[in-house]
Amino acid sequence: DHHELSGRLLDEFRQEDWPLLVEDFREMKALGFNVVRIHLQVASFMKTADTPDTKSLKQLARLLNLAEETGLYLDITGLGCYLKMQVPDWYDKMDEAGRWNVQVRFWDAVAETCRKSPAVFCYDLMNEPVFADNGKEKDWLCEPMGDFTFTQRLTLDLAGRTREQVAAEWVLKMTSAIRRHDRKHMITVGVIPWAYYFPGAKPVFYTAATSNALDFVSAHFYPKNGDVTNALKALAVYDVGKPLVIEEMFPLTCGIEDMKDFIDGSRPIADGWISFYWGQPL
């Protein structure tokens, strides 16, 4: 996960910042990493509901070239609304159908830009999508963490549907947009592992209905202090017969030793691990 110490997002980098990005990519390669997760915001890549931002798409193509030159692959996570103040009013005011249609156009444009690049590791449809199930929520974005809103709702009203039905409908709609241009690169969804917080919870996005659309499982794990055993039990819930990547992990609520034990304990199940790079070597 590429971050910068000042808190800027990748799509906020200007032309004069490019040498810093080049340096970051070279440092990540030198440290032995092979995949960099990048996050693209709707506000940066959609000028209007119907019109992609060609300038941002050109910058994305340039980033793909940098990844190719550096020998790194990109986990391209889309549909970000991390900075609430930057979310366009026209997008925020849309109903579910309108919002999903914008998301389709976003992925249509991004996949068309990325389809030929050998540097694409995968497309992650959205970071940690969730649901409002009571029809009372009015905000598409969930509570922020610091300055950033990392999670957003796919629907404000289940309207008689199950979460699994909404998830499948949305996944199939987004993946169809990507597959119109790119039938080669993998697609996933990075999810909150609710089984860790609510024992007995089952995967909502990785079901029989989405099994042909999603190529591997992406789960985000932040083990609690002294709780590695339960974190590993929760991880096993997401071992559904597909490759599994722990797409986010960090000793946020535990120590380094617990984090190491979690990584070592996950090896029989996990096929890859992604953590955070903050723009500085150790």
Side-chain angles (χ1 to χ4, degrees):
D1 244 316
H2 180 274
H3 281 259
E4 202 223 0
L5 286 176
S6 69
R8 283 187 303 172
L9 297 172
L10 186 65
D11 47 20
E12 294 181 292
F13 276 57
R14 302 178 299 275
Q15 183 73 22
E16 57 267 32
D17 299 315
W18 191 257
L20 176 61
L21 201 59
V22 172
E23 181 182 348
D24 283 349
F25 269 57
R26 288 174 178 168
E27 285 182 355
M28 286 185 280
K29 180 65 174 180
L31 287 167
F33 300 118
N34 56 7
V35 170
V36 182
R37 188 175 178 216
I38 63 170
H39 299 258
L40 310 182
Q41 292 198 97
V42 171
S44 298
F45 282 82
M46 295 299 298
K47 294 181 72 173
T48 71
D50 301 304
T51 310
D53 191 307
T54 55
K55 184 178 178 181
S56 291
L57 291 170
K58 287 180 180 177
Q59 190 76 339
L60 175 59
R62 189 182 184 193
L63 189 67
L64 287 163
N65 289 335
L66 173 60
E68 292 174 25
E69 293 166 5
T70 314
L72 292 167
Y73 295 90
L74 299 183
D75 173 338
I76 301 170
T77 299
L79 301 177
C81 292
Y82 299 133
L83 296 173
K84 187 171 184 177
M85 295 298 293
Q86 292 185 8
V87 177
D89 285 342
W90 55 261
Y91 186 52
D92 196 46
K93 293 176 180 177
M94 283 182 165
D95 62 8
E96 177 187 301
R99 194 172 175 90
W100 287 18
N101 286 336
V102 172
Q103 294 168 359
V104 163
R105 294 182 192 108
F106 171 99
W107 278 121
D108 186 85
V110 169
E112 186 174 19
T113 301
C114 299
R115 63 190 175 92
K116 293 183 179 180
S117 175
V120 176
F121 172 64
C122 72
Y123 303 103
D124 179 342
L125 298 178
M126 182 186 284
N127 184 67
E128 301 178 350
V130 295
F131 310 88
D133 59 4
N134 55 19
K136 296 179 181 178
E137 293 286 353
K138 303 300 180 185
D139 197 339
W140 289 104
L141 303 185
C142 301
E143 289 298 314
M145 179 181 290
D147 295 329
F148 299 101
T149 304
F150 292 109
T151 59
Q152 55 184 299
R153 300 178 175 97
L154 295 185
T155 182
L156 297 181
D157 190 350
L158 290 177
R161 302 165 294 180
T162 66
R163 289 179 175 85
E164 289 80 6
Q165 286 172 330
V166 174
E169 182 183 349
W170 179 80
V171 164
L172 295 175
K173 196 173 181 71
M174 299 304 122
T175 55
S176 295
I178 292 172
R179 293 301 183 219
R180 278 197 289 270
H181 301 283
D182 188 340
R183 304 197 64 83
K184 178 175 66 174
H185 294 117
M186 295 185 291
I187 303 176
T188 189
V189 181
V191 299
I192 299 170
W194 293 114
Y196 185 37
Y197 306 102
F198 303 101
K202 301 295 182 183
V204 173
F205 286 88
Y206 297 101
T207 63
T210 61
S211 61
N212 292 328
L214 299 175
D215 297 291
F216 65 95
V217 175
S218 293
H220 300 171
F221 270 85
Y222 297 88
K224 302 170 188 175
N225 192 43
D227 199 41
V228 171
T229 298
N230 286 327
L232 292 172
K233 286 180 180 177
L235 177 65
V237 173
Y238 297 86
D239 186 16
V240 295
K242 288 180 175 292
L244 190 157
V245 172
I246 300 174
E247 195 189 32
E248 284 185 23
M249 63 177 191
F250 198 76
L252 186 66
T253 54
C254 71
I256 294 294
E257 286 304 312
D258 277 346
M259 195 75 241
K260 179 180 180 298
D261 289 344
F262 174 73
I263 294 169
D264 289 343
S266 70
R267 290 183 187 278
I269 296 176
D271 299 286
W273 300 262
I274 299 176
S275 190
F276 294 87
Y277 173 78
W278 292 96
Q280 288 187 339
L282 213 60

